[in-house]
Amino acid sequence: MSLDSAEFHAAVYDLVRLIPVAKVTSYGHIAKLAGMPNHSRHVGQALKFLPPNTNPPIPWHRVIGASGTISSRGPGTDGALRQRDALIAEGVEVITGRTGELRVDLGRFGWFPSRDEVLGTQEILNRAEEAEEPSEA
């Protein structure tokens, strides 16, 4: 399966919306769920260019590195601190590692469903949306 950039971004946003409150997953897991397992960096790019005030909201802060670290956004940026604060507000414990990295225990807070589980969830959500749409009679 191959998605163009817009389709991939839309898939990423839909998948990130499925991450439960007080849980996190990795960029790589979102890429895998989207059917493009070698595109974890593209997941980061999709979230980086997330339009402000997207509705429904996309909980971008629930996506972290595969090692459980919050990705640095580079010197002079506060994205990692905003992400830490948003996770703490949801009840996720964020610790500072030996070298100053911000870290989450994936064993405790990780969300790593199979692709089949997520696809089943997405199909249920799609059916619910279709049921809410007014019929053209």
Side-chain angles (χ1 to χ4, degrees), residues 60-118:
W60 61 271
H61 59 280
R62 297 180 189 150
V63 185
I64 64 174
S67 63
T69 56
I70 292 175
S71 302
S72 168
R73 305 321 193 271
T77 62
D78 70 344
L81 297 177
R82 287 187 304 119
Q83 187 169 8
R84 175 201 63 193
D85 293 347
L87 289 171
I88 289 171
E90 290 187 355
V92 175
E93 183 180 338
V94 180
I95 61 166
T96 302
R98 290 181 292 148
T99 59
E101 78 279 10
L102 299 172
R103 180 173 292 284
V104 174
D105 178 349
L106 292 177
R108 189 167 158 209
F109 297 103
W111 180 78
F112 297 97
S114 72
R115 190 165 151 77
D116 288 343
E117 290 172 297
V118 168

Side-chain angles (χ1 to χ4, degrees), residues 10 12-20 54-59 62:
V12 166
Y13 300 152
D14 288 343
L15 290 163
V16 171
R17 283 186 178 111
L18 296 175
I19 304 169
T54 303
N55 196 11
I58 298 168
R62 297 180 189 150

Side-chain angles (χ1 to χ4, degrees), residues 120-134:
T121 302
Q122 194 57 48
E123 288 172 18
I124 291 166
L125 294 175
N126 290 343
R127 283 197 298 273
E129 286 175 9
E130 289 169 7
E132 291 174 4
E133 293 177 7

Side-chain angles (χ1 to χ4, degrees), residues 1-9 11 31 34-37 39 42 115:
M1 173 172 91
S2 182
L3 303 173
D4 70 25
S5 181
E7 290 170 327
F8 181 74
H9 283 210
M36 298 183 72
H39 288 75
H42 293 85
R115 190 165 151 77

